[in-house]
Amino acid sequence: MSLLEMKYAGSIVDLIKERRSIRAFNNDPVSTELLQELLNVAVWAPNHGNRQPWRFILYKGEGRVAFADAMIQTYSAEDKVKYGQHKWDYFMKVPAHLVVIMKEDPRQKQWDEDYGAVCALIQNFQLAAWEQGLGVVWKTNNYNYAPKFHQSVGIQPGEKIVGILHIGYPASVPPVQPRKPAEELLTIIDSK
Ligand SMILES: Cc1cc2nc3c(=O)[nH]c(=O)nc-3n(C[C@H](O)[C@H](O)[C@H](O)COP(=O)(O)O)c2cc1C
């Protein structure tokens, strides 16, 4: 039986507009089965040639120690002293971390298509999670690019981290960040 429940009453338009990036989580655990179901929704993202250029690593429970350690070891000695413990504690408080990885195609066109596909997958995941009352923030911190971090989490040569998603039930929802109306950005050409 599916764990996905109709928890959200609005339309897909409401869902898109009401989703927020969540950075503060409560302590409620997030089930692995639910995350797997959400990933099985997310993989319906458009992707050229059906290459499905993604894979994932999920850190939760005690597994978060390995994630937090991998992150901290990318810090300079000075930053470790200044922010290390605070950051480590934050990463242990976030219920789940999902590393979203893309296979890098050496051809530019395919690389671009695959990056677009993985980004679409992440947004699918964020929206499907929000529908379940689950908050996500998509992170692209410096350690996503650090060779030491790649080694610790097992990123292979020819792979790229597109994002690390911090996931949990929201402790607070930040205010809206207004968007520019699209009309201001749209050029319409409808005559010769
Ligand atoms: C590619 C990408 C990278 C992002 N990286 C970060 C990040 O490193 N740290 C962070 O706090 N938020 C990050 N975000 C989330 C944005 O800050 C967030 O989407 C933006 O503030 C708008 O807020 P909203 O998602 O609640 O509408 C990222 C979003 C995207 C699409």
Side-chain angles (χ1 to χ4, degrees):
M1 200 191 77
S2 174
L3 290 172
L4 300 183
E5 293 170 33
M6 288 303 295
K7 290 192 177 158
Y8 184 82
S11 67
I12 189 162
V13 171
D14 296 331
L15 182 68
I16 289 168
K17 289 184 172 179
E18 287 171 16
R19 180 207 57 82
R20 299 282 170 268
S21 293
I22 299 300
R23 299 176 181 82
F25 304 98
N26 68 28
N27 293 324
D28 294 351
V30 179
S31 92
T32 302
E33 293 73 21
L34 176 59
L35 293 173
Q36 280 172 357
E37 288 212 39
L38 292 171
L39 279 173
N40 273 319
V41 174
V43 294
W44 286 93
N47 66 100
H48 201 175
N50 203 20
R51 288 194 289 275
Q52 303 178 55
W54 41 62
R55 74 178 182 95
F56 318 100
I57 305 171
L58 175 64
Y59 292 92
K60 62 193 293 276
E62 284 303 302
R64 292 174 298 177
V65 174
F67 180 81
D69 285 349
M71 181 275 300
I72 288 291
Q73 49 138 0
T74 66
Y75 279 37
S76 67
E78 195 189 341
D79 283 352
K80 252 185 219 169
V81 173
K82 269 197 208 159
Y83 320 109
Q85 190 62 47
H86 174 74
K87 286 281 182 186
W88 201 89
D89 291 345
Y90 174 76
F91 285 117
M92 290 304 293
K93 196 170 163 3
V94 175
H97 305 280
L98 185 75
V99 186
V100 181
I101 301 156
M102 163 187 147
K103 191 162 184 275
E104 290 186 300
D105 195 301
R107 299 165 293 178
Q108 181 73 58
K109 177 176 179 291
Q110 283 76 3
W111 194 102
D112 288 352
E113 290 165 354
D114 290 348
Y115 183 72
V118 181
C119 291
L121 172 140
I122 292 176
Q123 181 63 350
N124 278 354
F125 183 89
Q126 296 201 106
L127 291 173
W130 193 256
E131 188 180 42
Q132 299 302 311
L134 205 52
V136 179
V137 62
W138 176 348
K139 288 282 186 102
T140 46
N141 286 335
N142 287 338
Y143 55 80
N144 289 12
Y145 300 90
K148 267 188 189 170
F149 184 77
H150 281 199
Q151 204 179 8
S152 305
V153 302
I155 304 301
Q156 302 299 311
E159 288 187 327
K160 171 184 171 53
I161 298 176
V162 177
I164 295 182
L165 310 184
H166 301 320
I167 307 164
Y169 293 96
S172 62
V173 176
V176 178
Q177 294 200 32
R179 304 308 203 250
K180 249 189 211 172
E183 302 81 65
E184 290 178 21
L185 308 163
L186 175 68
T187 305
I188 301 176
I189 298 155
D190 65 355
S191 62
K192 285 196 255 180

